[in-house]
Amino acid sequence: MNFDDFFAGMDKYDSLKKGDLANIPDEELREAVLQWIWSKFDEDWLDEVEVVDSLPKPCQYVYACCTVVDEVYNGGFNQLFFNSAGFFAELAAEGFEEMGNPRLAEIVNKAIEVYENNIDLLEQYDDGTIEGFSASYEEHLFDDLDDEFYDETVDFEDMLIEYIRANEEYFGD
């Protein structure tokens, strides 16, 4: 499969309009909302934070929560805070609370606290290499929080769909 084939159809929801979500099945809802948001970013995504900040709060919460869930599932809180996606952790905690899962918000807030208390330690590993990033896991700062997060996000997709459906008027141009 070539690069163009891989991205074919990825712009299906770029031009999402208000009211369109009612016609999108639940199993495509997350993808539709995220594609619509991603389509607003510059090609290099340097305006990601600015664009997300300009969206209505329900859109911000969905974006931040999905970003945090995806990062943590991919590499734990260690990866979340090592990458620029850590910027969305606080907003995600608010979003999880708003979506009705205060326990998930609490876990993210604890992870933020661990990160803030260990910034100097983690910065020692931030040398721009994969080896430095990999070595940072040896500190085991987030292991317990990762496990708690995984356990608490079992129903995340259902919670997300319910939240988007309850706030459909905010999604789309």
Side-chain angles (χ1 to χ4, degrees):
M1 176 185 295
N2 70 33
F3 194 69
D4 290 334
D5 290 340
F6 178 78
F7 284 103
M10 294 287 279
D11 59 355
K12 179 178 178 180
Y13 297 111
D14 286 2
S15 60
L16 192 70
K17 302 289 181 226
K18 295 219 185 281
D20 285 354
L21 292 186
N23 300 317
I24 297 174
D26 286 351
E27 59 271 9
E28 292 181 27
L29 201 57
R30 181 188 212 260
E31 176 187 358
V33 168
L34 290 178
Q35 279 186 17
W36 170 68
I37 294 171
W38 294 333
S39 75
K40 297 180 175 310
F41 301 158
D42 286 340
E43 188 175 306
D44 57 12
W45 285 35
L46 292 177
D47 63 345
E48 177 186 19
V49 172
E50 180 183 341
V51 169
V52 172
D53 283 348
S54 74
L55 297 172
K57 271 297 187 196
C59 301
Q60 290 180 29
Y61 289 150
V62 167
Y63 184 79
C65 290
C66 288
T67 298
V68 167
V69 166
D70 292 348
E71 285 288 326
V72 174
Y73 267 73
N74 193 37
F77 281 108
N78 194 73
Q79 177 172 308
L80 174 73
F81 292 114
F82 215 88
N83 292 339
S84 61
F87 178 83
F88 294 106
E90 200 170 299
L91 184 60
E94 290 175 28
F96 291 132
E97 185 82 38
E98 182 69 21
M99 289 181 192
N101 193 326
R103 177 68 184 123
L104 203 45
E106 180 184 330
I107 294 166
V108 172
N109 282 325
K110 282 182 184 178
I112 292 168
E113 184 178 338
V114 168
Y115 171 72
E116 288 174 347
N117 290 336
N118 291 280
I119 287 175
D120 292 340
L121 174 65
L122 291 171
E123 283 181 352
Q124 294 174 25
Y125 296 98
D126 194 2
D127 61 2
T129 67
I130 190 69
E131 292 80 15
F133 169 65
S134 296
S136 68
Y137 280 92
E138 294 173 18
E139 297 297 336
H140 302 283
L141 296 173
F142 301 103
D143 292 356
D144 292 340
L145 292 171
D146 288 344
D147 291 340
E148 290 179 48
F149 188 86
Y150 302 142
D151 290 345
E152 194 61 39
T153 54
V154 170
D155 297 322
F156 173 71
E157 295 301 323
D158 293 334
M159 179 179 72
L160 181 70
I161 289 166
E162 184 178 320
Y163 182 77
I164 293 171
R165 291 285 183 216
N167 293 280
E168 284 188 22
E169 70 270 18
Y170 295 103
F171 297 91
D173 294 313

